[in-house]
Amino acid sequence: MYYAILAYHEEGVVDSWSKEEDAALMTDLLQVNDRLVREKSLGPAARLGPTERAVTLRGKGEGIVIDGPFAETKEQLLGFYVVDFPTLEAAVAAARELRRANPTAVYEIRPVSLYLPGTPLGFTEHK
C-alpha cells in the first residue's frame, strides 16, 4: 500500500536556519531516504517552496486564483514522501525515523490513491 508522509513545520522557523543548519538536517534526512530507497520503499519525495509564493485555485467553474494557501494552523506543508509499505504501522515507523532526524517537524501519514491509466480508481495495493 502506498502512503504519503506529509511534513509540516513553521516556515519562519525553517527560514531562520543557517545554510549549515539546513544542510546538516538534510544530511540526516537523506540517510533515512537512502535506507528507504535500498529497501525499495521510497517513491517520490519533494521539498515544497514557500507558501508566500503559492497560489490556490478555488471557486466554481474555472475558479479564481488567489494568493497562497490559507491554513488555519501555525504549520505549513513543506514537503512530502511517498512510501510503499504493507501496513500503516510500517509507514508510521518510517515517519518516526524522519522525525528523529527532524524532531521539530510534524508528520501526517495518509493512504494514497494512485490513478494509473488502464486501472480502476481507488487505493492501489502494491508489493
Side-chain angles (χ1 to χ4, degrees):
M1 172 70 96
Y2 292 104
Y3 295 92
I5 300 175
L6 308 173
Y8 292 87
H9 210 300
E10 291 183 53
E11 282 185 335
V13 171
V14 174
D15 290 342
S16 74
W17 295 337
S18 69
K19 288 185 183 208
E20 294 79 17
E21 290 170 318
D22 189 63
L25 172 64
M26 291 309 298
T27 297
D28 291 345
L29 289 173
L30 288 172
Q31 289 177 0
V32 178
N33 288 12
D34 290 346
R35 183 187 62 76
L36 294 173
V37 167
R38 283 191 308 274
E39 294 175 358
K40 298 183 182 337
S41 294
L42 182 65
R47 188 175 199 181
L48 301 175
T51 57
E52 67 190 26
R53 294 193 352 229
V55 297
T56 300
L57 176 65
R58 67 172 72 228
K60 296 182 180 183
E62 292 289 312
I64 59 169
V65 175
I66 56 177
D67 289 340
F70 293 97
E72 294 293 327
T73 65
K74 291 180 4 181
E75 298 96 10
Q76 290 78 38
L77 176 62
L78 298 184
F80 64 89
Y81 303 82
V82 175
V83 294
D84 183 10
F85 288 106
T87 65
L88 176 61
E89 291 76 17
V92 169
R96 282 193 172 121
E97 193 171 351
L98 292 166
R99 186 168 167 80
R100 280 192 289 277
N102 188 4
T104 58
V106 174
Y107 293 93
E108 175 183 347
I109 301 92
R110 263 192 222 184
V112 172
S113 294
L114 292 181
Y115 302 106
L116 304 171
T119 62
L121 295 180
F123 289 101
T124 305
E125 294 288 334
H126 184 68
K127 278 215 173 190

